[in-house]
Amino acid sequence: METIIHRKVDVNGISMHVAEKGEGGPVVLLIHGFPELWYSWRHQILGLAAHGYHAVAPDLRGFGDTDIPPSSSSYTILHVVGDIVALIHALGQDKVFVVGHDWGAIVAWHLCMLRPDKVKALVNLSVAFTPRNPAQSLINSLRSRFGDAHYMVKYQEPEAAEAEFAKIGTALILKKFLTIRRPNAYIITKETSFSVSSDDDLTLPPWLSEEDINYYAAKFEKTGFTGGLNYYRCMELNWELTAAWTGTQIKVPTKFIVGDLDLAYHFPGVKDYIHKGGFKKDVPLLQDVVVMEGVGHFITLEKAHEVTDHIYDFIKTF
């Protein structure tokens, strides 16, 4: 870990913290999700650098040691993709390999949709591409189907999730998030709210240590969760802003990896979309889909070395 270099880069009007290792090789950009940081890629940074790549993992805007713009409307997908394009340029690159997980996968899909000229090849984890529905935004669709029970709908209310998280405590809520293994965990009722009950088994698995939790918690204690939650709160605005790209295919060579216990894999319709032709239609250069058995959402941590191997096996062919 001490061999990973940290620095700040000015991109798109903000100061972005990046962690990197492996100067001189092809750049692999690793984009994290929520509630995470560059730290979720620490194993892949070391593994890819050992294979001769220059692995770069930023803290996205609103996270960790990167700036946190105060306005919730400063977290649209256009802002975040703009940050990534500016980072690619700041690294002195024209095109890079891109790997995304969770919200990082959503950012990576949109990077490939808006600026495919910047991406040599893509490896995305957990979250499959979601084509824009011109008739209805995703948030409205979820609200009509689940009411306020879906977590993305709950996150829309300013400060509500933050207040829930504060009652529980930063370290404990991060433990709950990072160890979640219920495929239906996207539904949050009064009985299964963000709260942590005495029945919850929060024993850390072998791939997550108290030291890891302390690292995440120290950063989120400092920044709060609002920056990350603003990504969800911009989803309606994203739907409005991306109307011009309705029907656009992702025309970048792609590999997709997901765990079979991942809540994103169990969203209604997602499995059929992935396996029955819809995914391949929207991502025509999709070359491989890997479903890892017995693996949950935080796949970069749970199966760190296997994920590194999957990334390397794909990008080395380019």
Side-chain angles (χ1 to χ4, degrees), residues 7-318:
R7 63 184 172 115
K8 293 286 192 76
V9 181
D10 291 330
V11 299
N12 197 24
I14 64 169
S15 176
M16 174 175 274
H17 164 250
V18 300
E20 61 189 330
K21 182 176 172 63
E23 285 185 36
V27 171
V28 185
L29 198 56
L30 305 159
I31 311 177
H32 70 80
F34 177 86
E36 297 181 272
L37 305 162
W38 75 269
Y39 190 77
S40 291
W41 296 109
R42 61 195 180 278
H43 304 296
Q44 289 75 33
I45 292 172
L46 296 173
L48 291 168
H51 283 301
Y53 290 89
H54 178 187
V56 181
D59 285 334
L60 294 178
R61 66 167 57 209
F63 290 89
D65 294 319
T66 291
D67 284 353
I68 305 172
S71 171
S72 61
S73 62
S74 295
Y75 294 82
T76 72
I77 202 68
L78 298 185
H79 286 90
V80 185
V81 169
D83 297 344
I84 297 300
V85 171
L87 176 58
I88 292 169
H89 293 162
L91 293 167
Q93 302 296 306
D94 185 46
K95 299 179 81 162
V96 298
F97 295 110
V98 176
V99 185
H101 172 254
D102 186 79
W103 258 103
I106 297 171
V107 171
W109 290 125
H110 282 84
L111 173 65
C112 292
M113 184 169 71
L114 302 172
R115 293 300 304 271
D117 58 306
K118 293 296 166 191
V119 184
K120 291 179 183 177
L122 171 69
V123 180
N124 258 349
L125 289 74
S126 294
V127 179
F129 179 64
T130 303
R132 183 182 182 276
N133 179 354
Q136 189 177 45
S137 71
L138 178 59
I139 291 297
N140 281 337
S141 174
L142 294 172
R143 187 177 279 119
S144 65
R145 181 161 186 166
F146 299 105
D148 291 333
H150 197 285
Y151 78 94
M152 290 187 191
V153 177
K154 280 192 174 292
Y155 285 172
Q156 299 306 302
E157 186 181 345
E159 301 181 13
E162 290 92 327
E164 292 256 14
F165 295 170
K167 286 180 196 171
I168 297 165
T170 302
L172 202 53
I173 196 68
L174 286 165
K175 280 186 182 180
K176 182 164 185 175
F177 270 119
L178 295 173
T179 59
I180 204 156
R181 300 184 74 75
R182 289 186 295 110
N184 66 340
Y186 55 85
I187 299 300
I188 302 169
T189 64
K190 288 181 180 177
E191 292 74 30
T192 63
S193 70
F194 297 114
S195 62
V196 178
S197 76
S198 57
D199 296 330
D200 288 341
D201 180 9
L202 292 181
T203 304
L204 293 181
W207 44 268
L208 189 66
S209 68
E210 289 289 348
E211 183 182 2
D212 297 331
I213 292 293
N214 291 341
Y215 184 91
Y216 286 109
K219 296 299 182 183
F220 280 103
E221 286 279 359
K222 177 183 158 193
T223 64
F225 289 94
T226 299
L229 290 165
N230 281 339
Y231 285 65
Y232 296 93
R233 292 167 185 159
C234 278
M235 288 175 71
E236 286 281 276
L237 185 54
N238 290 342
W239 181 77
E240 296 176 15
L241 292 172
T242 56
W245 290 274
T246 301
T248 300
Q249 292 178 310
I250 304 300
K251 293 184 177 177
V252 170
T254 300
K255 180 174 186 173
F256 182 69
I257 309 168
V258 67
D260 69 351
L261 298 179
D262 193 323
L263 77 169
Y265 188 54
H266 290 269
F267 271 29
V270 167
K271 280 189 191 178
D272 282 350
Y273 174 72
I274 290 173
H275 298 295
K276 294 187 177 179
F279 197 13
K280 180 69 173 176
K281 178 174 175 288
D282 293 329
V283 188
L285 300 182
L286 179 67
Q287 296 185 18
D288 196 11
V289 172
V290 177
V291 181
M292 300 182 76
E293 188 176 346
V295 179
H297 183 64
F298 293 96
I299 194 168
T300 66
L301 306 175
E302 185 173 352
K303 293 294 179 183
H305 300 301
E306 291 93 330
V307 167
T308 301
D309 289 344
H310 276 300
I311 295 167
Y312 173 65
D313 287 346
F314 185 60
I315 65 176
K316 74 179 181 182
T317 65
F318 295 90

